Amino acid sequence: MEYILIFITAIFVNNVILSQFLGICPFLGVSKKIETATGMGMAVAFVLTIATIVTYLIQKFILDPLNIGYLQTIAFILVIAALVQMVEIILKKVSPSLYQALGVFLPLITTNCCILGVAILVIQKNYDLLTGVIYAISTALGFALALIIFAGIREQLNMVNIPKGMRGMSIALVTAGLLAMAFMGFSGVDRGLAAAWGL
């Protein structure tokens, strides 16, 4: 039940983009088409899950035993950068069209604060490896969900006659704010479920 609660909370209640404001750059940059948003969501999910596992192991078996926890951020950034390079090589071979569509935003996963933030949060919340992986997968699904919904809304906005002053990034930011407010409707669901399950 605890894992289900983490899953629901990470996707809806504490959505990494709409509640914690991590990963805003790809959220605004890759959300013009559903296809590229889905690709970015899958790439982030893969990198986020693998990065969480690798950074957890580095923290527990290298940084903590050697008392060099102050190197956490640097070590985690290096791991994430290496994983992004791996994803980039795989995407180039497997799906060249998606690789071209993602363009400059694929290397931006390296500096996506969502991935680094989740890796650090797993350590700060003292999760074990399994709980950390479930949290990472749930967060990645929440990221992808927000990205795909936002991309769908933006595709619809392209078919509407928007006032000249609101076109482009202006309407995108207003839409993002409204989407964040919509997700606020899920607040309290985690406490309700926890009380119902006696957690």
Side-chain angles (χ1 to χ4, degrees):
M1 291 297 182
E2 183 189 345
Y3 296 139
I4 296 171
L5 188 62
I6 289 171
F7 187 78
I8 292 169
T9 303
I11 293 175
F12 298 108
V13 181
N14 293 325
N15 186 285
V16 72
I17 295 175
L18 302 173
S19 294
Q20 299 177 32
F21 307 110
L22 297 172
I24 296 293
C25 179
F27 179 67
L28 294 173
V30 193
S31 59
K32 290 178 183 171
K33 292 183 179 176
I34 292 177
E35 185 185 353
T36 53
T38 306
M40 178 58 104
M42 289 189 312
V44 166
F46 177 75
V47 173
L48 189 57
T49 306
I50 302 298
T52 300
I53 294 169
V54 175
T55 53
Y56 180 88
L57 296 174
I58 287 172
Q59 181 73 38
K60 295 299 177 188
F61 296 108
I62 298 174
L63 300 180
D64 287 348
L66 297 175
N67 286 326
I68 51 173
Y70 56 88
L71 293 175
Q72 181 189 63
T73 305
I74 295 169
F76 285 11
I77 288 172
L78 291 173
V79 167
I80 292 165
L83 287 171
V84 169
Q85 288 299 315
M86 188 174 78
V87 169
E88 201 168 346
I89 291 166
I90 291 169
L91 269 182
K92 203 170 186 179
K93 295 280 185 194
V94 174
S95 178
S97 60
L98 182 58
Y99 175 78
Q100 290 294 329
L102 290 174
V104 72
F105 296 104
L106 191 58
L108 280 178
I109 295 177
T110 308
T111 56
N112 187 344
C113 53
C114 164
I115 295 171
L116 180 61
V118 170
I120 291 172
L121 281 171
V122 166
I123 304 300
Q124 287 179 347
K125 292 183 178 189
N126 287 322
Y127 285 155
D128 58 43
L129 184 58
L130 178 61
T131 309
V133 169
I134 289 169
Y135 177 71
I137 291 169
S138 306
T139 303
L141 288 174
F143 179 89
L145 177 70
L147 198 62
I148 291 166
I149 290 172
F150 190 54
I153 294 170
R154 286 184 78 177
E155 279 189 3
Q156 291 296 315
L157 286 173
N158 287 336
M159 296 182 230
V160 178
N161 188 18
I162 298 168
K164 192 173 182 181
M166 287 296 291
R167 288 180 192 158
M169 196 51 67
S170 301
I171 193 69
L173 290 172
V174 170
T175 306
L178 292 171
L179 189 58
M181 287 175 66
F183 268 70
M184 281 178 64
F186 293 110
S187 60
V189 170
D190 55 337
R191 290 187 295 275
L193 289 173
W197 293 333
L199 294 174

